[in-house]
Amino acid sequence: MTYYQLSCYLVVTVLVYRTIHNLVLYFRNRKQAYLLYFALLQVAYGGYLFCFIQTINVENPEKALIWERMENATAAIFATFIALFVNSYKKLFSRDFVLLYVFMNLILAGILLQDPNAYTMSVAHPKHFPSLGIVIYETDQPTIMQFIFLSGILMIVWTVIKVMNQFRKNRFRNHFLFYGLVLFFASLIADILVASDLLGIPYTSHFSFLILMFCVDSFLTVNKSEREVRMEFKESVSRWLSKPEASSFVAQAKSVSVEGSESKSLKEKSRNPKKLSVRALGPLELDLDGKKIPAGEYSSKKKLLKLIKLLLVRFGKGVHKEELLENLWPGMSEKNALNSLHALLFRLRKILGNPESVVFAEDRLFFHPDLVEADFVEFERKFEAAGKLLRNKKEEEAVQSYREAQELYTGDFFEFDLYFPESELKREYLRKNLIEIYRILCEYSQKAGDANSLLSDSESWIRLDDLDERAWRFHFESLQSLDRKNEALRKFEDMKKILKKELGVEPDQETVSLIEKIRVTSPVS
């Protein structure tokens, strides 16, 4: 094995390690979809490079040409993941363009794999590099195939140029990524010249790609735009200060910059950041450390209230900057809209009392998950925890968790603005979860013979959905157990009227059979 082949295998090995590393980071935080595409991008290039290695110094040239076919097809897949990665991190291209780009590259890969006239010994054209002791087995493809493959390479080059152009529009603290892009771009051009027999050196893009990957890794962690770096730095410092082991260092640092009493109060503030509680189940309420924020401070301000609603309906996901501008200031120029957004965020943070509760990251604005609690999120958490307990046969603990979730549901999601975009789906989802809670609680109370709990839970269920006959049947059974059979019969008549009016149907046979059973044992029968 030559040194050149060894260097290629070394690059493949490093890419495998970096792929695993980025996949681990992605599964820890699945909101960072760009990490997944970054990992797949490295997998595609690693596959491309592995296929390329199989065309060097082989004993069977025909087998080498099969590997070359796979190598060129993999290059098209690599181009696809470049576009997906770039656009998932920063939206440079429209969604339609990305879909077209992906489709074209998949077609290109299919043509390269299926064309029977390409990659045959009749068009073999090995490249000899005596100084390195290697022979790279390639082919002189028909003009149309050369054009198709060159088109794919030029699409990669164009994507790289688009990314490089961002450095002209945005100020970045670290320019290593820019230098890595320039180096990779130069290597791609050199490889095109080598493939065209215009340059007598071996292919070198795998070295520049490895350098570029490390530059991208560095950029993803610390080398973002200055505004993003400042915000993420403040966020990370806030988290670090909350750790006990940081207290001694904080005390030392504060003593240099501020007086003793101020240092102590600031340190305590950093250790115990104020928590914002948001209630969106029922009337909208905001609490800061248990103290209610007056509704008048935000409810009368339309833009501010709409921003809060957007952040709530996308809680945990965030709202992209462009979507914010379109929703809040449609038709306004981007520069003026951004200025208005910064002013609105300043007012919102001032009202919330904790500037860190609303953060910008990856061009998305969202409530800080560690500093903001939402009642509907807690409801879902308890509902899921109870389901897990139930599956593990821990029935009593599950029922307790279900009751805690039920207590959080003080009203429908976004009942203060029922027609707000995207709220309806969430509202229906939460209502279905609550109905499931009532069903499980009613079954548990029925099984335990607790008629009072069964009555209370079934009444709550009926208030939520008076067209669900399951709730009525539990209600009738509880009234029977409490010797309130006449009341059960009267409520059955009420239920019949509701079903007839709303749905135009008669009660189910199961409900009728239950009522007949109650009627037989009723004193009025």
Side-chain angles (χ1 to χ4, degrees):
M1 181 180 293
T2 64
Y3 287 117
Y4 184 79
Q5 290 171 287
L6 190 61
S7 69
C8 292
Y9 275 118
L10 180 61
V11 172
V12 171
T13 304
V14 174
L15 289 177
V16 169
Y17 167 75
R18 298 306 303 172
T19 298
I20 295 171
H21 172 75
N22 283 290
L23 285 175
V24 169
L25 292 179
Y26 166 71
F27 284 113
R28 286 180 181 174
N29 183 6
R30 300 198 182 192
K31 296 175 188 175
Q32 297 177 319
Y34 60 84
L35 288 174
L36 175 62
Y37 291 124
F38 187 43
L40 294 175
L41 183 154
Q42 292 175 91
V43 168
Y45 193 85
Y48 163 80
L49 191 55
F50 180 80
C51 293
F52 169 68
I53 297 170
Q54 310 311 310
T55 66
I56 303 174
N57 292 353
V58 294
E59 296 180 358
N60 185 353
E62 290 185 3
K63 186 177 179 182
L65 299 185
I66 295 175
W67 283 107
E68 189 198 3
R69 182 190 290 269
M70 295 175 63
E71 170 196 342
N72 291 342
T74 309
I77 304 299
F78 169 68
T80 296
F81 286 124
I82 284 184
L84 291 173
F85 164 63
V86 169
N87 224 45
S88 64
Y89 183 78
K90 187 173 182 63
K91 192 174 181 181
L92 299 183
F93 316 108
S94 69
R95 181 173 176 272
D96 291 339
F97 174 81
V98 172
L99 291 175
L100 178 63
Y101 186 88
V102 171
F103 180 68
M104 288 178 63
N105 276 292
L106 291 177
I107 290 178
L108 172 60
I111 293 173
L112 291 171
L113 287 173
Q114 297 299 325
D115 188 351
N117 298 318
Y119 304 100
T120 60
M121 287 302 297
S122 60
V123 291
H125 179 69
K127 285 184 170 62
H128 297 267
F129 300 97
S131 59
L132 295 174
I134 61 173
V135 178
I136 301 175
Y137 288 87
E138 293 183 349
T139 52
D140 280 334
Q141 298 299 326
T143 305
I144 184 64
M145 291 298 293
Q146 289 184 10
F147 175 76
I148 291 173
F149 182 66
L150 184 61
S151 298
I153 298 297
L154 290 177
M155 290 173 77
I156 296 176
V157 172
W158 182 73
T159 305
V160 172
I161 292 173
K162 284 283 288 184
V163 176
M164 290 166 62
N165 190 46
Q166 288 300 307
F167 285 86
R168 183 177 61 83
K169 297 180 179 179
N170 299 286
R171 294 176 60 200
F172 291 95
R173 179 166 297 186
N174 193 306
H175 286 74
F176 281 130
L177 176 60
F178 178 73
Y179 301 142
L181 285 167
V182 171
L183 180 61
F184 183 60
F185 173 76
S187 296
L188 280 177
I189 300 300
D191 281 1
I192 292 173
L193 296 176
V194 171
S196 306
D197 291 329
L198 298 176
L199 196 63
I201 62 172
Y203 298 106
T204 57
S205 61
H206 57 286
F207 295 114
S208 61
F209 181 79
L210 183 62
I211 294 171
L212 178 60
M213 289 304 97
F214 283 113
C215 293
V216 171
D217 263 337
S218 175
F219 180 82
L220 292 179
T221 52
V222 296
N223 297 317
K224 301 182 180 179
S225 64
E226 292 187 7
R227 178 176 57 79
E228 290 175 340
V229 169
R230 284 198 302 271
M231 298 195 70
E232 293 191 359
F233 175 73
K234 288 167 68 177
E235 181 181 337
S236 61
V237 168
S238 176
R239 290 179 180 175
W240 182 76
L241 289 173
S242 64
K243 297 180 180 180
E245 60 267 24
S247 59
S248 60
F249 178 80
V250 172
Q252 182 181 357
K254 299 296 182 183
S255 64
V256 176
S257 59
V258 294
E259 297 297 329
S261 59
E262 293 176 352
S263 169
K264 184 177 179 180
S265 63
L266 189 58
K267 182 173 65 176
E268 291 300 319
K269 184 178 179 181
S270 299
R271 281 185 182 181
N272 303 297
K274 293 182 178 180
K275 282 222 170 189
L276 179 71
S277 297
V278 184
R279 296 186 183 89
L281 295 174
L284 177 62
E285 292 183 7
L286 305 176
D287 290 356
L288 185 64
D289 278 353
K291 185 178 180 181
K292 186 175 179 180
I293 298 174
E297 293 193 19
Y298 53 85
S299 61
S300 60
K301 301 173 178 64
K302 291 184 180 179
K303 297 286 187 188
L304 195 64
L305 183 59
K306 189 172 185 179
L307 177 57
I308 293 173
K309 291 176 182 178
L310 284 169
L311 292 173
L312 281 175
V313 85
R314 297 282 188 84
F315 195 94
K317 300 177 183 176
V319 190
H320 197 275
K321 177 183 67 178
E322 293 181 6
E323 190 176 352
L324 284 171
L325 301 184
E326 182 63 29
N327 272 282
L328 296 170
W329 297 280
M332 186 182 289
S333 68
E334 184 177 358
K335 183 178 179 181
N336 292 337
L338 280 173
N339 290 335
S340 299
L341 177 60
H342 292 154
L344 189 63
L345 283 176
F346 176 79
R347 288 165 55 196
L348 177 60
R349 286 168 172 145
K350 186 176 180 181
I351 289 172
L352 298 181
N354 184 358
E356 301 299 327
S357 59
V358 181
V359 293
F360 241 126
E362 300 164 26
D363 277 340
R364 303 184 80 85
L365 182 71
F366 55 91
F367 280 127
H368 196 305
D370 295 334
L371 301 178
V372 181
E373 297 174 343
D375 55 354
F376 60 93
V377 175
E378 184 65 12
F379 171 84
E380 290 182 75
R381 190 186 66 79
K382 288 189 177 295
F383 176 78
E384 291 171 1
K388 187 175 181 181
L389 289 169
L390 201 60
R391 289 190 293 273
N392 291 333
K393 310 298 182 184
K394 298 179 181 180
E395 196 172 21
E396 291 186 5
E397 294 178 37
V399 167
Q400 178 61 30
S401 190
Y402 278 130
R403 292 208 178 277
E404 291 173 0
Q406 176 199 353
E407 291 173 3
L408 288 169
Y409 201 103
T410 55
D412 282 335
F413 180 70
F414 262 56
E415 72 172 30
F416 46 84
D417 191 349
L418 295 175
Y419 300 103
F420 193 81
E422 300 183 38
S423 66
E424 185 177 357
L425 288 175
K426 187 73 170 179
R427 180 163 51 252
E428 289 305 312
Y429 171 74
L430 293 172
R431 281 173 66 92
K432 285 181 180 178
N433 285 351
L434 183 61
I435 287 173
E436 181 66 9
I437 287 174
Y438 284 135
R439 182 190 67 79
I440 293 170
L441 292 179
C442 286
E443 288 179 353
Y444 179 79
S445 298
Q446 182 188 50
K447 181 177 161 184
D450 188 348
N452 288 313
S453 295
L454 183 60
L455 178 65
S456 175
D457 292 331
S458 60
E459 282 180 340
S460 299
W461 187 352
I462 291 169
R463 282 195 294 271
L464 185 68
D465 185 3
D466 59 2
L467 300 177
D468 194 329
E469 289 190 52
R470 296 176 300 170
W472 285 103
R473 287 195 289 269
F474 280 123
H475 191 58
F476 298 149
E477 287 184 23
S478 66
L479 291 173
Q480 181 188 23
S481 300
L482 294 170
D483 289 329
R484 293 160 61 178
K485 300 171 186 176
N486 288 339
E487 184 179 347
L489 297 175
R490 287 196 304 272
K491 289 196 172 183
F492 173 68
E493 295 301 322
D494 293 339
M495 185 200 74
K496 284 177 64 177
K497 292 177 183 177
I498 292 170
L499 293 177
K500 191 70 175 177
K501 179 181 178 182
E502 298 294 333
L503 303 177
V505 298
E506 295 295 328
D508 290 345
Q509 185 57 45
E510 187 177 351
T511 307
V512 173
S513 299
L514 174 62
I515 288 300
E516 288 303 320
K517 179 181 175 183
I518 294 174
R519 197 187 303 277
V520 168
T521 58
S522 175
V524 298
S525 60

